[in-house]
Amino acid sequence: MSSTPPQREPVEVSPGPAPRANPLQSLHALLMALVAVALVPVLGLSLWSHTAERDRERAIALERTAHAAGMIADDLARETRNTRLFLELVAANPQVRACTDESRSAACGGVLAGFARLTPEYLHLVRPGGGPLASARPPGPAGASLADDQAVRDALQGKSFSVGVSRAEDGADGAVVTYAAPVRGAGLVLAARMPLTQASKTILNAGLPQGTSVVLAGLDGRIIFRIPEAPGYIGVSLPENHAGPIRMKSAETTGFGRGLDGVERYYVLRRLDIGGEEVCYVRVGIPKSAVYAESTAKLTRQVAVLLCITLLALVFTRLWGGRYILDPVARLMAAVRALGAGDFTARTGLSPGDSGRPGGAGELGELARTFDHMAEELELAQAEQEAARKALLDSEERLRAVFNASADGLLLLVPDGRVLSMNESAARRRNTTPPELVGKNILDLIPEYVRNGRRERFEQVVRTRAPLRFEEEREGRTYAIRLYPIFGEDGAVCQIASFSRDITERRLSERALLAAKEAAEAASQAKDAFVTNMSHELRTPLNGLAGMLQLLALADLPAEQREYLDYAWQTSQQLTELINDILDYAALGSGQLTLEHKPFTLATVLASLEAELGPLAEAKGLALAMIGQPGALDQTLLGDPLRLGQTLRHLLDNALKFTHQGGVVMEAALACRAEGDCTLRLQVADTGIGITPEQMQYLFEPFVQAEDPLTKRYPGTGLGLAIVRELAAKMGGSVEVRSAPGEGSVFTLCLSFQTPPNGANGAGRTNGLNGTA
C-alpha cells in the first residue's frame, strides 16, 4: 500500500554560516582571480609594447649619439680645412717670411695680430727649437715652448701641414687643437691653436639629452677633453671596454657601459681622422635613464591606468557579483546543506521568473528551480519510501507466512552447516520448532551415514559457487535437495540456502509408470508382430483365391456368373490392397522398411501410374493429366522408384476417389544444384469435395477418414495418407495439403534425390503421358 504525503509549504532558506573552507577556493576569490586573469593579457600587451618602445628608443639613441659624434668630427674636419688654407696663405705672405730674427718679433707679432682678426685661433710663429718667435696674442707664461706639440714637430720636420691635439700650454684643464704649416725659406713654422671648448656649441646644437658626456681621448686611451668639463678626469685612462678598442685602432664601437662617474650610458666611440690620419677618438655617451625615459614614463602611466582599471573591476565585480552571483549561490548552498542534513522541505526561494530579484533569472535561476524540483521529488520519494517500508514489513510478514506454510523444508545455513533460519516444515520433520534449531549445526541433526556426503556438497557449493541438486535417501524416505550459494559484498559465498522436498511418493509413482510403460511397449511390439504375422497369413490364402478367380475367369460362364466373378475379383483386390497397406504401415512403424538406391527416371514411374489409373479415371468420366516441366521427366535420379510410385499412387487414387466431376492434374517440377542434389516437387490437384479445417487436423493420422464412419460412402481404411507421410519422411521430404470444402484439394509432395556422377539422363520416354512436351 502507498499513501500520498501531506503537502507542505516550501521553506525559504536564508544563507547560514558555511563550514570553513579554503578562502582561495571560494567563489569570491575565484571571481577576483578571473578578473585578474582577464587583465593579464592587457598587462602582457603593455609589457610587449614597452619592450618594442625600448628597442625603438635604443635605436633612436644610437642614431642621435652617432649623429653627435659625426657632427663633432665634421666640425673638426671643416675647421681643419679652413685653417689649413688660412695658414698656407699666411705662411706665403712676404711679411711673415721676412720674420727671421728677434729684431722683427714685435713687427711680426703685429702682422700676426692683423691676421688673427680673421680667425679666432691663436697664431704663433715658432722657431726651429720650438720656442715662439711671435704670437698674435700672448701665449701664456714667458718662454712657453711648443716643441712638445706633435703638429709643430711634424711641421719643423718638413711636413707641409700637420694637426695635433694636446693640453693647453698654460697648464689649465682643457685641450687645444694645433694646426702647423712651415714657412718656406724662413725655417719657421706657423701654428694656429683652437681650444676644444668651442665643441660645446656643437653638442648643444645636437639636442642631446641632459647628462650626455663627450670625451676626446688620445691614441693611448687617456682623456684629453670632456664635456661637461670635469677637471679631475683629464689625463685619466678610459675604462678598459673603451680603451681597448682605441689601442686596437677600431673605427667605431657602440654599447652600454658605466663611465668614470658611475653613470650607465649608451656610448658611441668613433675615430676622428683629421688631416688624413687619426689623432684622437671621440666618445659620446647618453645616460641610460635618458635613453629609456619616454618608454619608462609611458609604462608607468600604463601600469597606473591598469591598476586603476583593475581596482575598479574588482570593486564592480565584488558589488555586482555579490548581488547577482554570490548571494544566490549562498542561498543555494544553504538549501543544499539543509537538504544534506535531512530537511527535505528546504527550498532556495529563488524564482526564475522574477528577473528583478538577484539570481531569479538565468542559469542560477534555472539551477534553483531544478534544485527545488529535486527537493520536492526527494520529499515525495521520502514519503513513498516510508510507505514502501511499511509495505515491505507487510510483505515480509506475508513472505514469512509463505515461508512457514511451504511443504518443503527451507533452511538458511552458514557454509559450515550452522542454521541461521528455517521454516516450520523443516522443524516439524525433526519434531521441534525453528527457534530451538537456530544456531545448531544441521550436520548434527541428520544420520551419520549421510553426514559426510552432505558436508562434501556444502564444500562443493562454496568451491564451485554454483547451485547443486541431488537426491538423498535417509530413514526410509527420499528427499530432493537443492543448495543455492548466497554471496557477500566481497563476492565470496557467505551463506547457503537449502530446499528439501520429500519425493518418496513421486518416486514410487514414477516406478509404477515406468513399469506400465514397459508393459505397453511390450504389448505394442506384440501387436506389431501379430499384425505382421496375420497379414502374411491372410496374404497366402488371398493369393490362392486370386489365382483360382483368374482361372475361373478363363471359363465360359453365363453373364450372371461372370458378374459374380467380377465382384469377387474386385473384393479380393481390395482385400489384398488393404493387407498390403497394413503391412507397409507396420513396416514403417517398426523401422524395418528399407529404400532402394538405383537410377530411374520420373517418366517411367508416371507411365506405369497412368496405365494403371487411366482406366479408373475414364470409367468415372474424369480427366487425368500428368504434366512434367522441361527436364523433369528425363532426368536420371538415384532413389527407390517403387516407393515413389507407391506414394504417388496413394495421392492419385485418393484424388480420384473423392472427385466426381472435373479431373485430377499432377504437375512435376525438378530443381538441381551443381553438387548433384535435386529437389522433386510433385503437385496433385483435384476438383473433388474438399476437406474442412477440422478434418485437416487429423488427415495424416492412420485409420482416420474425412467422412463419418456411420454414413461411409467411400471405401478404404484411412492408411493411404499416413503411408504417404511416412514414405515422404523416409525419402527426405514432406507432404503438404491445401483445401477448402467444395473447392477441391491440392497435395504437394517435395522429395530430395541425387543424380548419377556422370550426370547421364535415363532412357525413359514420355510417350503415353498426358500433357508432356
Side-chain angles (χ1 to χ4, degrees):
M1 296 177 62
S2 61
S3 59
T4 302
Q7 299 294 328
R8 301 179 183 177
E9 293 295 331
V11 178
E12 182 173 338
V13 179
S14 300
R20 289 187 177 181
N22 188 353
L24 297 178
Q25 296 180 353
S26 64
L27 188 59
H28 178 267
L30 293 178
L31 284 176
M32 299 298 104
L34 181 62
V35 173
V37 170
L39 295 175
V40 166
V42 180
L43 178 60
L45 183 61
S46 299
L47 294 177
W48 177 81
S49 176
H50 173 67
T51 303
E53 191 70 21
R54 285 172 65 90
D55 294 340
R56 185 181 66 82
E57 288 182 335
R58 180 175 178 177
I60 293 174
L62 173 62
E63 182 181 356
R64 293 172 66 182
T65 307
H67 179 67
M71 288 180 63
I72 295 173
D74 293 342
D75 286 348
L76 291 177
R78 184 174 57 256
E79 188 68 26
T80 299
R81 289 193 301 270
N82 295 335
T83 303
R84 180 176 183 176
L85 179 60
F86 175 74
L87 290 180
E88 289 177 350
L89 291 175
V90 172
N93 187 277
Q95 295 180 359
V96 175
R97 297 178 65 179
C99 296
T100 58
D101 52 24
E102 295 290 340
S103 63
R104 293 184 59 83
S105 62
C108 290
V111 174
L112 294 180
F115 285 111
R117 288 193 294 269
L118 300 176
T119 179
E121 289 85 355
Y122 293 95
L123 293 178
H124 305 275
L125 193 58
V126 183
R127 300 185 187 94
L133 175 65
S135 298
R137 295 188 182 95
S145 176
L146 298 178
D148 295 334
D149 193 296
Q150 180 67 37
V152 174
R153 289 200 308 269
D154 293 341
L156 289 174
Q157 293 176 1
K159 194 173 183 180
S160 63
F161 180 79
S162 62
V163 182
V165 180
S166 61
R167 298 285 299 278
E169 63 276 299
D170 55 3
D173 290 335
V176 293
V177 178
T178 303
Y179 304 96
V183 179
R184 303 297 180 184
L188 302 176
V189 172
L190 183 62
R193 309 193 82 185
M194 181 187 71
L196 283 176
T197 54
Q198 293 183 7
S200 302
K201 299 177 183 179
T202 302
I203 297 173
L204 295 176
N205 294 333
L208 296 175
Q210 187 177 3
T212 302
S213 67
V214 179
V215 171
L216 289 179
L219 296 178
D220 57 356
R222 296 183 178 275
I223 297 176
I224 300 174
F225 175 72
R226 185 182 187 277
I227 298 177
E229 296 183 5
Y233 296 148
I234 303 301
V236 179
S237 177
L238 292 173
E240 183 60 28
N241 59 336
H242 291 159
I246 292 176
R247 289 193 293 269
M248 297 176 62
K249 296 185 179 182
S250 299
E252 184 175 348
T253 302
T254 61
F256 280 97
R258 192 173 298 278
L260 297 176
D261 57 357
V263 178
E264 189 175 4
R265 293 180 175 88
Y266 186 80
Y267 292 103
V268 173
L269 181 68
R270 177 176 293 184
R271 184 178 62 196
L272 294 180
D273 296 331
I274 302 175
E277 60 179 282
E278 67 276 2
V279 295
C280 64
Y281 276 81
V282 59
R283 188 192 73 174
V284 181
I286 298 178
K288 184 177 181 180
S289 58
V291 173
Y292 299 128
E294 184 178 352
S295 63
T296 303
K298 185 176 180 181
L299 178 63
T300 303
R301 292 192 300 271
Q302 289 178 348
V303 170
V305 172
L306 183 60
L307 289 176
C308 294
I309 293 175
T310 302
L311 182 60
L312 291 176
L314 291 176
V315 172
F316 175 76
T317 302
R318 179 66 182 89
L319 297 177
W320 182 86
R323 177 175 175 82
Y324 292 98
I325 298 179
L326 298 179
D327 181 64
V329 169
R331 290 178 176 272
L332 279 169
M333 290 301 299
V336 169
R337 294 189 191 100
L339 186 63
D343 183 9
F344 295 100
T345 62
R347 301 293 185 271
T348 62
L350 299 174
S351 174
D354 185 5
S355 59
R357 186 170 186 175
E363 288 81 356
L364 288 177
E366 184 66 21
L367 179 61
R369 187 182 69 174
T370 303
F371 176 84
D372 291 343
H373 178 70
M374 180 185 68
E376 292 175 1
E377 293 292 334
L378 288 176
E379 184 179 7
L380 179 61
Q382 184 189 30
E384 293 178 349
Q385 185 178 10
E386 182 63 23
R389 188 183 66 83
K390 295 179 180 179
L392 181 60
L393 292 177
D394 296 340
S395 177
E396 287 180 352
E397 291 296 331
R398 290 193 295 270
L399 288 176
R400 187 176 293 108
V402 173
F403 183 73
N404 291 324
S406 174
D408 294 346
L410 308 181
L411 296 93
L412 186 63
L413 308 171
V414 178
D416 62 0
R418 184 162 45 89
V419 178
L420 297 177
S421 178
M422 68 167 43
N423 66 346
E424 294 180 356
S425 296
R428 280 196 301 268
R429 291 179 185 176
R430 295 164 178 82
N431 299 320
T432 183
T433 60
E436 295 179 358
L437 296 179
V438 172
K440 296 183 179 181
N441 198 308
I442 192 63
L443 298 177
D444 298 335
L445 304 177
I446 59 179
E448 185 176 357
Y449 59 87
V450 295
R451 187 176 302 164
N452 293 333
R454 183 74 65 88
R455 181 182 292 107
E456 291 177 358
R457 289 185 171 91
F458 287 166
E459 295 174 354
Q460 181 179 352
V461 171
V462 174
R463 184 176 62 256
T464 61
R465 301 165 59 88
L468 180 63
R469 297 170 179 262
F470 62 95
E471 293 183 3
E472 188 177 82
E473 293 186 2
R474 66 175 186 269
E475 300 172 347
R477 309 294 293 179
T478 302
Y479 297 94
I481 300 176
R482 293 164 293 167
L483 301 179
Y484 292 89
I486 300 176
F487 303 98
E489 294 182 356
D490 58 352
V493 178
C494 61
Q495 296 176 2
I496 296 177
S498 175
F499 300 83
S500 176
R501 176 174 296 180
D502 190 345
I503 59 171
T504 304
E505 287 75 13
R506 189 179 72 183
R507 282 288 176 263
L508 294 176
S509 300
E510 290 177 354
R511 291 168 185 169
L513 289 176
L514 180 60
K517 176 177 177 296
E518 293 175 352
E521 290 178 351
S524 177
Q525 292 176 359
K527 179 198 70 174
D528 292 340
F530 173 76
V531 170
T532 303
N533 292 332
M534 289 301 297
S535 298
H536 281 286
E537 294 296 331
L538 290 175
R539 180 178 292 177
T540 300
L542 282 176
N543 289 335
L545 177 61
M548 293 300 104
L549 291 176
Q550 288 179 354
L551 292 176
L552 186 60
L554 298 176
D556 186 13
L557 298 175
E560 183 178 0
Q561 292 180 357
R562 175 67 63 181
E563 182 180 356
Y564 294 157
L565 180 61
D566 292 339
Y567 179 75
W569 171 254
Q570 293 177 3
T571 303
S572 65
Q573 289 298 109
Q574 292 176 359
L575 186 57
T576 301
E577 292 176 0
L578 174 60
I579 292 173
N580 289 335
D581 289 343
I582 293 174
L583 282 175
D584 291 340
Y585 186 75
L588 289 171
S590 61
Q592 297 177 357
L593 181 66
T594 58
L595 298 179
E596 292 184 336
H597 194 70
K598 63 181 181 180
F600 71 95
T601 60
L602 184 61
T604 58
V605 175
L606 298 183
S608 62
L609 290 176
E610 186 178 24
E612 180 182 352
L613 300 177
L616 178 61
E618 185 177 355
K620 295 186 65 174
L622 301 176
L624 176 62
M626 296 186 184
I627 303 174
Q629 294 184 359
L633 300 178
D634 295 337
Q635 176 65 46
T636 301
L637 303 175
L638 295 177
D640 193 333
L642 179 62
R643 297 302 177 184
L644 176 60
Q646 182 182 358
T647 304
L648 294 177
R649 184 182 298 106
H650 282 297
L651 291 178
L652 292 171
D653 183 69
N654 195 64
L656 292 172
K657 183 192 301 183
F658 294 99
T659 302
H660 302 291
Q661 58 182 3
V664 177
V665 177
M666 189 190 73
E667 185 176 357
L670 185 67
C672 294
R673 292 183 292 271
E675 56 270 19
D677 292 333
C678 295
T679 300
L680 179 62
R681 185 176 181 272
L682 300 164
Q683 181 174 290
V684 178
D686 61 62
T687 58
I689 61 175
I691 308 171
T692 63
E694 294 79 9
Q695 296 169 342
M696 199 174 298
Q697 298 179 5
Y698 310 101
L699 190 62
F700 292 98
E701 296 297 327
F703 306 106
V704 173
Q705 288 183 303
E707 59 179 343
D708 190 348
L710 298 178
T711 60
K712 188 172 183 180
R713 296 178 297 165
Y714 302 97
T717 59
L719 286 176
L721 293 180
I723 294 175
V724 168
R725 183 182 65 177
E726 295 296 333
L727 287 175
K730 275 281 188 180
M731 289 185 285
S734 62
V735 60
E736 297 178 355
V737 62
R738 185 178 71 254
S739 178
E743 298 181 3
S745 303
V746 177
F747 287 84
T748 303
L749 182 65
C750 292
L751 303 174
S752 296
F753 293 97
Q754 294 285 330
T755 58
N758 56 4
N761 292 335
R765 293 291 179 264
T766 59
N767 296 337
L769 290 179
N770 297 330
T772 59

